[in-house]
Amino acid sequence: MSLANGRPYLAIPGPSVIPDRVLAAMHRASPNIYAGALPEMVETIWPDLKRLAGTQHHAAIYIVNGHGAWEAANANLFSRGDRALVLATGRFGHGWAESAQAMGVAVELLDFGKSAPVDLDRLAEALRADPAHRLRAVMVTHVDTASSVKNDIAAIRGVLDAVGHPALLCVDAIAAMGCDEMRMDDWGVDVIVGASQKGLMVPPGLGILWVSDRALARCRDSDLRTPYWDWTPRLTGREFWQLWCGTAPTHHLFGLRESLTMIHEEGLPAVWARHAALARAVWTAFDVWGAGNPDIALNVADPAHRGHAVTAARLGAPHATRLRDWLETRAGVTLGIGLGMAAPDDPAYHGFLRVAHMGHVNAHMTLGVLATMEAGLKALGVPHGEGALSAAAAVVAEAAGA
Ligand SMILES: *Cc1c(COP(=O)(O)O)cnc(C)c1O
C-alpha cells in the first residue's frame, strides 16, 4: 500500500522547499512596475543580498536559472578568445566550463574527479605555468551539487596570492549560498554566481551575480556582452526597468524579499549551523547503514570537504533508483538522482542518489527523510547496518541541546 498521501516533500537539490511565507508574499495582484510598492521594496533587497554573500560591493539580478547566471557572468567577464582556468569537482564545474567555451572563451580545465576538492598544488602549478598572466579568471564551484564536494575558497584565493597571479576569482555558489558559510570580501572573491531556487527558497527564475569593484573595473571592455547580459545598467541604472533590462520579475522579487527577511531573522551564523547539523545527521545515518555494507557509502570521504546543502551517496545499483521510487510512491518523499556519476543508460547509474538539506529544512524534515529511507531499505530488502536513526537523532540532540 502507499502511505504517500499528505504533504509531499521534495528533497532534491533544487528547486528546494518554498516556505509558506515566501508563497504568501508572492500571492498578490500584479504591481505597478514604474512606481510605488515594488521599486520601493526592491531598494531594501540590495543590502540584504550583499550581507548574505559577505560583500560591500555590488549585486545584480537576472531573470534566468543557474545556467543563465553562468552566461551572465561569462558575458561580462570575458572577451572572445580570453583564457580562463576552470577547476572542476563535479558535473557543475564542467557545466560552467562548457558554457564559457561555447561563448568563445579558451577554457583550460583542471578536473579533480567526482569525490575530491581542488588540489591546491595542482592549482599553483597551473598558475605558475602562466607567467604572462593570460588567464583572466579562475572559476570554481563552492559546493558542486552533483558530487556534494565543497571547495575551500579562502585557500584558493591564498594560492592565487601566493603565486602572485592577478586572475579574477569567480565562484559558483548556486547550491551553497544561504547554506554554507560565504565571505566574499574576506575571501577575495571577485564574482559570485547564485540562483533563487536553492538556499534562497524562491522558485527558479532569478540569477544573482555579486561583483567586486575590481571585477567591475577590469571587465569594462569585455566584448562578449550583449545588451541583455551587460551588468552595467543592472548595477548602475537610473531607471527601474534598467535593473532588469525590461519588465521586473515582480513576484519573484516579493518572494526574495521575504526569504531574505527569514534568513536574516534567523541570523546567518544560525542558518549555517542549522545546515551543518542537519548535514551531519544525514552523514551519520549513511555511515551506520554502510557499516559492514560496502555498497552503501557517502561520495566524499572527508567531512571537511562535504557541502552542507546536499549529500551525494551510493547505494549499489539498482538499489538507489529502487529506493527513490519507493520513497516517492510509498512515502511522499522525492530524493535527488545521482548526477554526473554515471551515464543514465549505464546500469551503474541506478546506484547513486542525493539527499538535499538546503534552505527551508529543519530537524523533523531531515530525520523524517532518513526514517523513510530506512523504511524503504527494509521494504526492499537492501542490506544495511542497524541503528542509523538513533545515531542521526543523537546528532540532532547534541546540536539542538536542551
Ligand atoms: C543548480 C546548480 C546549477 C544549475 O542551475 P540551474 O538553475 O539548474 O540552471 C549550477 N551550479 C550549481 C552549483 C548548482 O547547484
Side-chain angles (χ1 to χ4, degrees):
M1 69 181 280
S2 172
L3 301 175
N5 284 319
R7 194 180 181 99
Y9 178 13
L10 188 66
I12 70 174
S16 65
V17 173
I18 306 173
D20 290 341
R21 279 176 63 178
V22 170
L23 288 170
M26 298 178 75
H27 191 104
R28 63 175 70 217
S30 283
N32 181 355
I33 55 166
Y34 301 108
L38 177 70
E40 284 166 22
M41 178 278 288
V42 164
E43 282 302 306
T44 72
I45 281 185
W46 307 114
D48 285 353
L49 258 189
K50 292 183 205 174
R51 185 144 62 103
L52 176 69
T55 185
Q56 309 263 359
H57 294 262
H58 313 280
I61 296 177
Y62 291 79
I63 307 177
V64 292
N65 62 13
H67 283 67
W70 280 338
E71 294 207 20
N74 299 338
N76 287 282
L77 282 164
F78 301 111
S79 293
R80 197 165 303 279
D82 274 351
R83 304 167 82 95
L85 180 66
V86 177
L87 314 175
T89 52
R91 184 56 225 148
F92 287 97
H94 292 276
W96 197 3
E98 286 156 11
S99 152
Q101 203 151 24
M103 291 170 76
V105 178
V107 170
E108 187 181 324
L109 183 85
L110 288 185
D111 186 353
F112 300 93
K114 298 170 182 170
S115 305
V118 168
D119 174 338
L120 299 175
D121 292 335
R122 275 180 69 196
L123 169 60
E125 195 182 311
L127 293 173
R128 277 195 217 98
D130 178 38
H133 297 164
R134 295 173 68 202
L135 290 169
R136 183 169 174 76
V138 170
M139 293 139 77
V140 64
T141 314
H142 188 197
V143 172
D144 195 297
T145 321
S147 63
S148 65
V149 170
K150 176 161 68 182
N151 285 301
D152 183 342
I153 302 302
I156 290 171
R157 161 51 66 195
V159 172
L160 279 154
D161 290 348
V163 172
H165 200 294
L168 296 166
L169 176 56
C170 307
V171 176
D172 173 353
I174 292 173
M177 186 62 77
C179 306
D180 286 87
E181 185 173 356
M182 167 54 71
R183 300 188 183 276
M184 176 169 172
D185 292 355
D186 292 350
W187 295 349
V189 178
D190 290 297
V191 173
I192 296 179
V193 180
S196 51
Q197 77 272 24
K198 306 212 177 168
L200 290 182
M201 313 176 286
V202 174
L206 300 181
I208 303 162
L209 297 191
W210 288 266
V211 182
S212 72
D213 277 335
R214 196 168 90 112
L216 208 54
R218 294 259 297 274
C219 297
R220 226 159 246 143
D221 300 321
S222 296
D223 74 11
L224 283 184
R225 270 200 280 252
T226 53
Y228 185 79
W229 298 111
D230 188 355
W231 63 30
T232 320
R234 292 171 186 266
L235 296 170
T236 61
R238 304 277 289 278
E239 293 182 48
F240 189 64
W241 72 270
Q242 292 180 297
L243 303 178
W244 328 101
C245 197
T247 305
T250 49
H251 289 65
H252 278 70
L253 291 169
F254 282 106
L256 178 62
R257 172 61 274 167
E258 190 62 24
S259 85
L260 290 168
T261 299
M262 290 175 68
I263 287 170
H264 291 306
E265 268 174 13
E266 184 177 353
L268 271 177
V271 169
W272 295 331
R274 172 168 54 84
H275 282 86
L278 297 179
R280 282 200 307 276
V282 172
W283 304 341
T284 299
F286 271 95
D287 285 345
V288 176
W289 287 328
N293 298 279
D295 276 355
I296 302 183
L298 293 169
N299 184 47
V300 182
D302 183 345
H305 300 145
R306 296 178 192 151
H308 295 167
V310 56
T311 295
R314 62 187 162 75
L315 215 66
H319 297 318
T321 297
R322 290 175 70 219
L323 185 68
R324 282 194 304 101
D325 289 347
W326 190 94
L327 255 74
E328 186 158 71
T329 57
R330 310 296 169 98
V333 174
T334 304
L335 298 179
I337 59 169
L339 192 63
M341 308 306 279
D345 56 1
D346 178 346
Y349 174 83
H350 300 288
F352 300 97
L353 55 71
R354 290 173 300 160
V355 182
H357 29 89
M358 55 171 54
H360 194 54
V361 190
N362 59 23
H364 87 74
M365 295 163 80
T366 297
L367 290 175
V369 165
L370 296 174
T372 44
M373 286 178 73
E374 178 151 319
L377 293 172
K378 290 191 188 324
L380 297 171
V382 180
H384 59 278
E386 290 297 339
L389 298 179
S390 66
V395 170
V396 167
E398 161 141 24

